[in-house]
Amino acid sequence: MKIAIIGGTGGQGLGIAVRFVQTGEDVIIGSRTMEKAQAAVDKVKDLLTDVGNLKAALNPDAAKEADILVLTVPLAAQRATLLSIKEGAAGKILMDATGPLETAIGGLPTRCLYLPEGAAAERAQKIVPETRVICAFNNISSGALMNFTEPIDCDCLISGDDLESKKTVSRLIEKIPGVQVVDCGPLERAQIIEKITPLLIGLNIKKTCKDAGIRITGIDPECKL
Ligand SMILES: NC(=O)c1ccc[n+]([C@@H]2O[C@H](COP(=O)([O-])OP(=O)(O)OC[C@H]3O[C@@H](n4cnc5c(N)ncnc54)[C@H](OP(=O)(O)O)[C@@H]3O)[C@@H](O)[C@H]2O)c1
């Protein structure tokens, strides 16, 4: 599977890129500039011995070339970035990790912004209506993703309106050691999923740790509905 990480030069995108390279996917790291995309690719090459078909591209080209996309930009950049890839993203699945955190307006990362569209992932779906948006990777920290020699001790809560797309991304994400994907239901559940992120950041600060995560218990791991 060819996966483009749109805005893959920051902490979250790079971490997801590293993990998907490890699971054997063809990864394209996207950026607004080729220099930054190439620098991110070089970073991954420094970390891993086998990077397969890892490559750098501008965001619109990465979106066109890939089968599946992951969006990892700050909320303030979400709309412009999605508009820049709209054509290439049409008909594809896009996993949106955007956190609606107050930092987007200079506030605290422990507080959520209330968006008129509901969740950031719902906003994404409105901007790229021909793309199947799945809320994913909001609850796994970049630190846990980048600690690539260790399994990740965190579930990946996802939500979206297309069951087949959720099954596709679940199969991909669950190749990452330690991660259980929990399908939380329709895309509107992203309103809850995205609010867990500032909670985890707050716990990192309060408990002086780095990679607080979340596990859902009591569900049948074989039940993929
Ligand atoms: N970091 C975490 O632990 C974590 C955890 C869960 C969710 N998230 C969410 O994941 C997303 C990415 O987080 P991050 O920490 O990786 O963010 P980041 O490092 O601040 O930004 C990621 C990339 O987005 C692009 N970008 C930044 N500002 C932009 C702008 N104004 N316009 C267009 N592109 C811009 C940049 O790529 P180029 O300059 O290369 O184009 C940048 O490298 C956020 O929405 C965050 O809430 C993060």
Side-chain angles (χ1 to χ4, degrees):
M1 194 73 82
K2 208 176 264 190
I3 304 178
I5 319 289
I6 307 299
T9 54
Q12 194 70 352
L14 200 65
I16 293 169
V18 165
R19 292 292 182 161
F20 279 143
V21 166
Q22 281 186 310
T23 62
E25 313 308 327
D26 292 346
V27 174
I28 309 171
I29 297 186
S31 166
R32 287 169 296 175
T33 70
M34 271 312 284
E35 291 73 23
K36 283 185 80 174
Q38 191 54 53
V41 162
D42 293 343
K43 246 184 239 173
V44 179
K45 284 183 175 166
D46 284 344
L47 297 174
L48 306 177
T49 43
D50 182 5
V51 297
N53 292 320
L54 174 68
K55 63 183 271 195
L58 294 173
N59 286 328
D61 297 334
K64 267 188 206 136
E65 188 176 337
D67 307 304
I68 291 195
L69 319 178
V70 186
L71 181 69
T72 52
V73 298
L75 181 75
Q78 188 198 36
R79 181 180 301 279
T81 307
L82 283 171
L83 289 175
S84 77
I85 63 162
K86 193 169 185 173
E87 193 190 328
K92 297 178 182 170
I93 298 171
L94 179 136
M95 295 183 245
D96 183 14
T98 309
L101 306 180
E102 266 198 359
T103 40
I105 51 163
L108 297 169
T110 49
R111 298 186 63 178
C112 253
L113 275 178
Y114 287 84
L115 306 175
E117 296 88 348
E122 288 180 288
R123 182 164 90 155
Q125 186 64 84
K126 286 198 168 73
I127 300 167
V128 286
E130 289 173 33
T131 299
R132 283 160 283 149
V133 174
I134 311 272
C135 168
F137 284 113
N138 288 76
N139 311 134
I140 303 181
S141 71
S142 60
L145 289 161
M146 284 304 283
N147 191 12
F148 62 91
T149 55
E150 297 295 326
I152 293 177
D153 187 16
C154 185
D155 288 345
C156 184
L157 308 192
I158 67 165
S159 70
D161 292 334
D162 183 65
L163 187 58
E164 283 312 309
S165 302
K166 288 191 284 189
K167 284 183 180 168
T168 302
V169 303
S170 297
R171 281 193 292 272
L172 273 177
I173 298 170
E174 285 196 336
K175 288 189 196 172
I176 301 172
V179 179
Q180 171 185 243
V181 174
V182 181
D183 176 1
C184 298
L187 192 61
E188 62 149 43
R189 292 280 161 81
Q191 293 176 28
I192 301 170
I193 295 172
E194 291 172 4
K195 286 191 177 66
I196 296 170
T197 311
L199 175 74
L200 295 175
I201 294 170
L203 285 171
N204 279 337
I205 296 167
K206 184 170 151 60
K207 307 282 182 191
T208 58
C209 54
K210 285 197 317 244
D211 300 321
I214 183 165
R215 288 281 193 204
I216 305 294
T217 60
I219 53 171
D220 176 0
E222 297 307 315
C223 176
K224 294 299 173 197
L225 290 175

